[in-house]
Amino acid sequence: MDEKLINKTLLYPGKGTADYANGTKVTFHVKTETVEESPKVIDDSKKWKSPVELLLGKKFKLEIWEACIRTMLPGEIASFSIDKSLLAPYPLVSKTLREAYEKDSNGKKEKKPHHCCGMGFKEGLGYPDLDNLVNHPKDLKFTIDLIKVEGSGSYEKDFWAMTETERLDSIPILREEGNSLYKEGKHPEAAKKYSEALGRLEQLMLREKPKDEEWLKLNEMKIPLLLNFSQCQILEGEYYSAIEHCTSVLEQDPDNIKALYRRGRAYVKVFSPDEARADLEKASQLDSTIAPGCKKLLNELATLEMEKTEHDKTVYKKLFT
């Protein structure tokens, strides 16, 4: 590093080595302050919802951060005073990080208006302090707390950082993880795995032309995930969502027994008698082994209908008394 432009001060020593290969994932807290007689804090990740994560060697917009971190040992805390000539990208990077990591008073992600016009900041960034930095660049001090260093291959990659092959291979892995969680009775956790896998499939399908061979293959992979996800939703009482996902399966495979049975079950729970009866009767005809289960649900539906009839009679009687 150019000591004329970058001045490092060690605040707390780390341990290990600082030989970081490209692809290394670093997790750190960073506090940004102006370098002046009365320093002003611009950003402090300890007030955000989580520390910042960075993959080294991936052309991060603020290269100076990567250069600083490569001089640090795991667990080290150091401050770096940086000349403003190296900090032109900082306002845009700060905006991006705030929108990704900041939280509001309820602990949720804070949504800010988007005013940035490309890289030219023509219409402002939506943050007055950052707009001021754009118009009046200043030297800044970054205090970095290097919390964790994970070598390439030792951590689960984010979806955006994966190759196409890795992205496709990750989907059955997520499905198996969901299945394991489901067997353990952890239905909300399993649902999250299935939902994540479905989201990844949708992203991959966007790159393909609808109805082409690759698109159809990806679409076929959705069916077991939709079925598993709908089962979790039924167990968690999310009946309308379960109906929607089972319907997606039946649009591709009208005789899918699991989809008919699960949608019929959900229709019973939301008291849609005609729809429930149609699905359960069809499922029973297609597979006699689930006929007892269908009959049980149909009996439950009949009981609900009787209760509703009696309730309606009572209401009408009171109205005309």
Side-chain angles (χ1 to χ4, degrees):
M1 294 192 298
D2 189 339
E3 294 183 0
K4 293 180 180 179
L5 301 178
I6 305 172
N7 181 34
K8 176 180 178 179
T9 302
L10 179 64
L11 302 177
Y12 185 85
K15 296 180 180 179
T17 62
D19 184 18
Y20 306 141
N22 287 344
T24 297
K25 182 178 181 180
V26 293
T27 304
F28 60 98
H29 275 300
V30 58
K31 182 178 181 180
T32 306
E33 302 171 90
T34 57
V35 179
E36 49 195 3
E37 188 174 342
S38 300
K40 179 181 178 182
V41 177
I42 298 174
D43 288 310
D44 187 352
S45 67
K46 289 187 177 180
K47 297 180 180 179
W48 296 348
K49 63 181 182 179
S50 64
V52 179
E53 295 179 344
L54 176 64
L55 291 181
L56 301 182
K58 296 295 181 179
K59 296 182 179 179
F60 184 59
K61 287 187 176 67
L62 191 60
E63 295 179 1
I64 194 62
W65 270 8
E66 183 168 332
C68 292
I69 288 171
R70 285 184 181 276
T71 72
M72 300 176 68
L73 300 178
E76 180 179 318
I77 303 175
S79 66
F80 299 84
S81 297
I82 314 293
D83 187 271
K84 60 186 176 184
S85 62
L86 301 176
L87 297 174
Y90 180 76
L92 182 58
V93 169
S94 175
K95 168 189 167 67
T96 302
L97 292 175
R98 290 181 187 187
E99 293 178 350
Y101 289 97
E102 273 190 342
K103 55 188 178 183
D104 60 20
S105 57
N106 296 318
K108 298 179 181 179
K109 180 179 175 181
E110 186 175 13
K111 294 183 179 179
K112 294 285 186 179
H114 293 270
H115 297 297
C116 178
C117 182
M119 289 293 291
F121 315 113
K122 186 175 179 181
E123 297 177 15
L125 295 171
Y127 297 89
D129 58 339
L130 298 182
D131 290 336
N132 185 56
L133 267 183
V134 172
N135 297 321
H136 308 285
K138 296 180 179 180
D139 296 347
L140 298 176
K141 182 174 77 172
F142 301 109
T143 301
I144 298 175
D145 180 356
L146 188 53
I147 301 170
K148 185 165 60 174
V149 176
E150 299 170 272
S152 179
S154 67
Y155 59 88
E156 183 179 350
K157 288 184 180 180
D158 291 323
F159 188 63
W160 63 266
M162 295 179 182
T163 65
E164 289 300 308
T165 300
E166 288 173 334
R167 291 179 180 183
L168 190 59
D169 291 344
S170 73
I171 293 167
I173 292 173
L174 284 170
R175 180 187 170 191
E176 288 305 314
E177 289 175 350
N179 291 347
S180 297
L181 289 166
Y182 181 86
K183 291 175 183 177
E184 294 173 12
K186 298 177 180 178
H187 304 137
E189 293 85 350
K192 287 182 181 179
K193 294 291 184 180
Y194 299 138
S195 178
E196 185 177 351
L198 284 166
R200 293 185 179 189
L201 265 176
E202 293 288 353
Q203 289 189 50
L204 291 173
M205 291 174 69
L206 288 173
R207 300 190 176 195
E208 306 295 337
K209 186 177 180 181
K211 307 303 180 182
D212 274 4
E213 183 179 353
E214 287 303 315
W215 187 93
L216 291 171
K217 286 180 181 178
L218 294 170
N219 199 40
E220 188 70 21
M221 291 175 67
K222 288 175 63 177
I223 291 179
L225 288 166
L226 287 167
L227 290 171
N228 292 352
F229 189 36
S230 65
Q231 176 67 5
C232 290
Q233 290 176 312
I234 289 172
L235 294 174
E236 292 301 308
E238 300 289 341
Y239 302 119
Y240 287 105
S241 184
I243 289 168
E244 178 185 348
H245 288 92
C246 287
T247 299
S248 295
V249 173
L250 292 166
E251 287 173 351
Q252 300 178 60
D253 181 7
D255 292 335
N256 189 289
I257 296 166
K258 287 184 178 179
L260 287 166
Y261 180 81
R262 290 172 188 174
R263 189 173 72 171
R265 182 181 176 186
Y267 274 137
V268 170
K269 296 299 182 182
V270 300
F271 196 66
S272 294
D274 294 340
E275 293 85 353
R277 193 169 284 110
D279 280 351
L280 293 170
E281 288 178 352
K282 183 176 181 179
S284 182
Q285 292 169 4
L286 290 170
D287 185 355
S288 59
T289 62
I290 65 167
C294 292
K295 184 177 180 181
K296 183 178 179 180
L297 286 169
L298 288 169
N299 289 338
E300 180 182 337
L301 179 63
T303 301
L304 291 172
E305 288 180 300
M306 289 176 60
E307 290 175 352
K308 186 177 186 306
T309 299
E310 291 301 318
H311 176 267
D312 290 347
K313 284 181 180 179
T314 302
V315 172
Y316 289 134
K317 186 176 181 180
K318 288 183 179 179
L319 286 173
F320 291 101
T321 299

